[in-house]
């Protein structure tokens, strides 16, 4: 069926199922570096840690040694290491999640986030896979403000403020 003939009526993938994010999984080659950066950058707290895994986890993530859950508000991250990690940042053209977007409450929060990243980078306490600084804060035609930055593993995050309205 051509795209123009498809329905635009929103439908659940399965009637009544409304998925929501439980956590974001972050694979790293240096769990201690990653954990401390996420704790410091997000002001997160460590919730729990595992070093024993199900057969399913071991088959999907060979070499996993440790997994730590951290949380900031309702946002959770599962940070984990793998002994066979090659320490390479994915190529720009490779398939991957391009970025995860996190919404903040005020436009000023974007300045705080950007400043905190720069402060932690300049501290010299962390090893970064990419040396790219955060972008400037940009504003689109609808007044949505965004900035992009990389974590210590080279994973990209967008932070955005969406003003009240139809967006």
């Amino acid at each position: 069926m051509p795209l123009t003939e498809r329905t635009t009526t929103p439908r659940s993938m399965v009637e009544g199922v409304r998925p929501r994010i439980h956590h974001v999984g972050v694979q790293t080659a240096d769990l201690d570096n990653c954990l401390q950066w996420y704790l410091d950058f997000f002001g997160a707290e460590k919730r729990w840690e595992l070093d024993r895994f199900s057969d399913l986890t071991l088959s999907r993530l060979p070499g996993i040694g440790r997994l730590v859950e951290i949380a900031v508000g309702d946002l959770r991250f599962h940070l984990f290491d793998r002994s066979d990690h090659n320490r390479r940042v994915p190529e720009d053209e490779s398939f991957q999640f391009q970025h995860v977007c996190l919404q903040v409450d005020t436009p000023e929060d974007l300045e705080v986030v950007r400043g905190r990243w720069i402060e932690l980078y300049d501290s010299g306490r962390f090893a970064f896979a990419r040396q790219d600084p955060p972008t400037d804060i940009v504003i689109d035609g609808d007044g949505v403000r965004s900035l992009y930055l990389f974590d210590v593993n080279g994973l990209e995050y967008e932070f955005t403020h969406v003003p009240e309205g139809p967006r």
Side-chain angles (χ1 to χ4, degrees), residues 44-59:
E45 65 181 56
K46 182 177 172 181
R47 293 277 176 89
W48 49 262
E49 183 171 338
L50 294 175
D51 62 4
R52 293 177 52 205
F53 303 97
S54 69
D55 290 341
L56 176 61
T57 298
L58 293 171
S59 71

Side-chain angles (χ1 to χ4, degrees), residues 7-141:
T7 179
T8 58
T9 304
R11 293 180 14 194
S12 294
M13 63 178 144
V14 176
E15 195 59 41
V17 175
R18 302 263 181 217
R20 60 190 182 281
I21 293 176
H22 179 269
H23 66 269
V24 174
V26 176
Q27 179 175 293
T28 183
D30 184 344
L31 186 54
D32 293 328
N33 180 63
C34 181
L35 173 61
Q36 195 57 58
W37 186 84
Y38 273 76
L39 292 173
D40 287 358
F41 180 74
F42 284 100
E45 65 181 56
K46 182 177 172 181
R47 293 277 176 89
W48 49 262
E49 183 171 338
L50 294 175
D51 62 4
R52 293 177 52 205
F53 303 97
S54 69
D55 290 341
L56 176 61
T57 298
L58 293 171
S59 71
R60 294 189 62 250
L61 301 171
I64 188 169
R66 218 169 107 210
L67 183 147
V68 179
E69 180 180 271
I70 63 166
V72 55
D74 292 334
L75 178 60
R76 293 187 269 189
F77 295 93
H78 285 185
L79 311 176
F80 61 93
D81 62 357
R82 290 178 63 185
S83 61
D84 60 349
H85 197 287
N86 63 22
R87 297 182 178 266
R88 289 194 310 257
V89 174
E91 297 176 22
D92 289 339
E93 297 81 23
S94 65
F95 287 113
Q96 62 179 321
F97 277 103
Q98 199 278 325
H99 69 271
V100 173
C101 181
L102 304 173
Q103 186 171 341
V104 296
D105 293 331
T106 69
E108 294 77 21
D109 290 344
L110 295 172
E111 293 288 348
V112 172
V113 166
R114 190 173 192 284
R116 183 64 174 152
W117 189 97
I118 292 168
E119 178 185 338
L120 291 176
Y121 182 85
D122 288 348
S123 76
R125 295 180 13 229
F126 301 98
F128 282 79
R130 298 178 66 133
Q131 305 307 309
D132 305 46
T135 66
D136 290 333
I137 297 169
V138 296
I139 306 171
D140 73 11

Side-chain angles (χ1 to χ4, degrees), residues 148-159:
Y148 296 83
L149 56 83
F150 293 100
D151 78 349
V152 291
N153 304 292
L155 301 174
E156 189 170 29
Y157 286 93
E158 174 185 2
F159 286 83

